[in-house]
Amino acid sequence: MKYKIIPEPEKAITKQIKIKQETNLLNNSGFLNVSGWSRKPLVIFNETNIKADKKRIKKWEHYTFYNKNYCGGITISDIATVGMGSMLGFAEVMYQEW
């Protein structure tokens, strides 16, 4: 039997929308309610709607920040058996055109 870990591209397409108001991440059946992005945290993670075994729940938050000179990201994750965090940053590199 052939297993597909990653869905075929044409079957995995989602429409990314700009989220403008608070909304639940999951619907009452435990399926994804919204797929998109926002400029501030507006998606409510309602863990009670998850139907999976609690040991299989993986949670993480990722924040990206940037300005003219710097950029970076922070990720905090909890994958039920392990928790971890990471931070990545870059500074503008000064260079001279020749």
Side-chain angles (χ1 to χ4, degrees), residues 3-4 6 9 16-17 19 22 25 40-41 45 47 51 55 58-59 67 70 72 80 84-85 89 92 96 98:
Y3 293 98
K4 292 185 179 181
I6 301 172
Q16 298 290 312
I17 61 167
I19 301 167
E22 282 191 353
L25 175 65
K40 58 184 178 179
F45 176 57
E47 190 172 344
K51 306 302 180 199
K55 294 177 185 173
K58 289 138 181 83
K59 301 177 277 191
N67 67 18
Y70 303 98
M84 66 179 267
E92 179 183 32
Q96 180 179 359
W98 295 87

Side-chain angles (χ1 to χ4, degrees), residues 5-92:
I5 297 173
I6 301 172
E8 297 172 29
E10 64 274 3
K11 294 183 180 178
I13 296 172
T14 60
K15 183 177 181 185
Q16 298 290 312
I17 61 167
K18 181 177 180 181
I19 301 167
K20 298 178 183 178
Q21 62 187 24
E22 282 191 353
T23 186
N24 286 325
L25 175 65
L26 303 172
N27 63 23
N28 291 335
S29 299
F31 292 99
L32 192 61
N33 188 43
V34 64
S35 179
W37 61 278
S38 66
R39 295 196 183 274
K40 58 184 178 179
L42 292 173
V43 178
I44 300 164
F45 176 57
N46 43 345
E47 190 172 344
T48 57
N49 288 357
I50 299 174
K51 306 302 180 199
D53 181 346
K54 299 295 180 197
K55 294 177 185 173
R56 296 187 48 117
I57 297 174
K58 289 138 181 83
K59 301 177 277 191
W60 65 89
E61 294 195 37
H62 177 79
Y63 298 93
T64 302
F65 54 91
Y66 60 91
N67 67 18
K68 182 180 172 187
N69 300 312
Y70 303 98
C71 67
I74 298 173
T75 303
I76 303 165
S77 61
D78 174 3
I79 57 172
T81 56
V82 177
M84 66 179 267
S86 65
M87 189 166 95
L88 178 65
F90 296 99
E92 179 183 32

